[in-house]
Amino acid sequence: MRIVPVPYGHPDATKLIADVQQVYVDLYAVEDATPMNPEECMSPNWRAAAGTRG
């Protein structure tokens, strides 16, 4: 497995976020409605990573 940094809007990050949100729905029967500003995730202090095969 290779772990690489990806931006917030990357398809792998978007899928991971959606998967985590589904866990919240499964646990609490409601979706997290907290507003999220993607620009907040573009600072040098914010990191996302995706694992890929190969």
Side-chain angles (χ1 to χ4, degrees), residues 1-43:
M1 177 182 278
R2 191 170 66 114
I3 298 177
V4 295
V6 295
Y8 179 82
H10 188 279
D12 292 338
T14 302
K15 176 155 180 11
L16 179 60
I17 292 165
D19 290 348
V20 170
Q21 289 298 323
Q22 186 59 51
V23 171
Y24 293 146
V25 171
D26 294 344
L27 288 173
Y28 305 112
V30 293
E31 189 172 332
D32 181 10
T34 305
M36 180 64 183
N37 181 352
E39 291 180 12
E40 293 175 4
C41 300
M42 297 194 179
S43 77

